[in-house]
C-alpha cells in the first residue's frame, strides 16, 4: 500500500524526474506516519500507438492508478482534501509540462495484504511506528 | 474513467487494429453521453513467456481489465446488459481472430477521481454535457 | 479470475521459473475446484529506474496484485488462511531469493465478468465442474 502505477508517454520523464516524482509521492504518506517502504511507484512508458484517449493515439497523457490499503477514509471532506493533495503533487509532473493527466484512487481491504511474509501492523500502533522508523518490516 | 487495459499477445494487433478497437470502445461511452476523452485505452503486449493461462504459456489470450468511475449501475439487469454490450464490442478483436478472451469490470468511487486538476462533473449535468461537447475538461 | 500481475526486477526469473511460479499459483485454485484456465498470471519486468520503493529505485522487489472474481470469502478466519496460503506460495520465488515482496488481493464483482463470450458458471455447479474437467469454457 500505496501502490502507484503511472502510465506516461515515451520520454516524458528522465530518471531524475522519476526519482523526484516517487520521492514527492512517498512524502505524502510518510507525513502521516506510514513507513516509506510501503510506497511503491511503478512507471510504465506507453507509446502513442498503445495509448488512446477518446479513440485517438496520445503522446501527452499521464494516467495514474493509485491503490490504498493501509488507510481508508470515510469522511467525505477528508476524502476530498486527500484527493486534492494527491492532485497537487502531480502538477509539477503533468500540468507544468503541458501533459494531460487523470488519476483515481482505489481502496482495497487491509486483511488481504501482506508484506515480506508479515501482516502489516494496525494503523497507529507501536509496531507500525517501529516499521516506519526502521523503514523495513520487523517481526512483532 | 473508463480505463481499459488490454493485455494481448505479441503482434495480435496492428496500429490500425488498435485504433479501431479503441474507437469502438469509446463509442460505448459517448453513446450514453460521456465525454470521449474520459475513455483511456492502454494496450500491453505480453510475450508468451510472460503470459500464463492455467500454468501454460499462452500466445492467444486477451485479458482485459476495465475500470468504471463515472457511472455505476445498481440494477442487476442493466449490469448484465452492459457487460454483454462490452463483450460484443470485443468479438471482432478476439473471437473472430480465434483468440481466447476474458474481461471483468471494476467499479471505483467517483469521489477519489480527478481529471486535469478538476472534479469531473456529476452525471447528467450541464457541465458534463459541456465537457462532452468540447471534448476536454473545462472549469465550471 | 484469478488474475495475478507480478511486477519483478529485470532478470529475476528465467522462463522455467516463470512457468513453475504460474503452475504453483494455478494449483492453489484447482485445489478448490476452479478450472485451471481461469488462472491468468502476467509477469511484468520493471527496471530499477521505473521501480521505486520508498522513493528509492529498487532492483530487488516483487510487487504482486491479485484479483479474485470467482470466489469471495466473508469469514475473517478463512480470509486470513487464504492470504497466508498465497504468501507461502510466493516464498520460493521471493523470500528464498532474497527479494523483498508485497502483495494484496482485490475482490471484484462476479456479475461484471465474462470469459469467451460466456457467463462463468456459479460456484459449485455441474457446469463449473464440466468447465474444470474440460479445462475450457463450454456452453451450458
Amino acid at each position: 500500500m500505496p501502490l502507484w502505477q503511472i502510465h506516461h508517454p515515451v520520454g516524458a520523464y528522465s530518471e531524475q524526474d522519476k526519482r523526484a516524482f516517487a520521492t514527492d509521492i512517498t512524502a505524502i504518506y510518510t507525513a502521516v506516519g506510514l513507513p516509506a517502504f510501503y510506497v511503491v511507484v511503478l512507471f510504465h512508458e506507453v507509446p502513442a500507438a498503445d495509448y488512446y484517449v477518446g479513440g485517438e493515439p496520445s503522446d501527452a497523457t499521464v494516467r495514474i492508478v493509485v491503490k490504498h490499503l493501509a488507510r481508508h477514509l470515510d469522511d467525505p471532506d477528508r476524502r476530498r482534501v486527500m484527493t486534492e493533495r494527491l492532485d497537487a503533487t502531480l502538477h509539477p509532473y503533468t500540468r507544468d509540462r503541458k501533459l494531460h493527466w487523470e488519476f483515481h484512487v482505489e481502496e482495497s481491504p487491509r486483511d488481504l495484504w501482506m508484506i515480506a511474509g508479515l501482516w502489516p501492523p494496525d494503523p497507529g500502533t507501536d509496531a507500525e511506528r517501529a516499521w516506519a522508523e526502521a523503514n523495513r518490516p520487523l517481526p512483532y
Side-chain angles (χ1 to χ4, degrees), chain A residues 30-102:
Chain A
T30 52
V32 296
L34 287 179
F37 74 90
Y38 278 19
V39 187
V40 176
V41 180
L42 304 177
F43 290 90
H44 303 290
E45 192 170 76
V46 183
D50 290 323
Y51 205 133
Y52 295 84
V53 179
E56 302 290 328
S58 173
D59 62 359
T61 297
V62 179
R63 184 64 174 89
I64 299 173
V65 179
V66 179
K67 295 177 192 283
H68 280 181
L69 294 104
R71 297 282 191 280
H72 296 166
L73 300 176
D74 290 322
D75 178 63
D77 276 344
R78 292 186 62 198
R79 289 167 70 87
R80 184 180 48 75
V81 168
M82 183 270 287
T83 308
E84 291 179 346
R85 169 88 201 274
L86 301 192
D87 184 59
T89 304
L90 304 178
H91 289 183
Y93 306 100
T94 55
R95 187 193 64 183
D96 299 352
R97 294 163 187 244
K98 315 282 184 219
L99 297 167
H100 177 64
W101 76 105
E102 176 177 350

Side-chain angles (χ1 to χ4, degrees), chain A residues 106-124:
Chain A
E106 305 175 0
E107 295 178 316
S108 201
R110 266 189 86 90
D111 68 342
L112 304 177
W113 168 47
M114 293 183 80
I115 299 181
L118 297 168
W119 294 99
D122 283 339

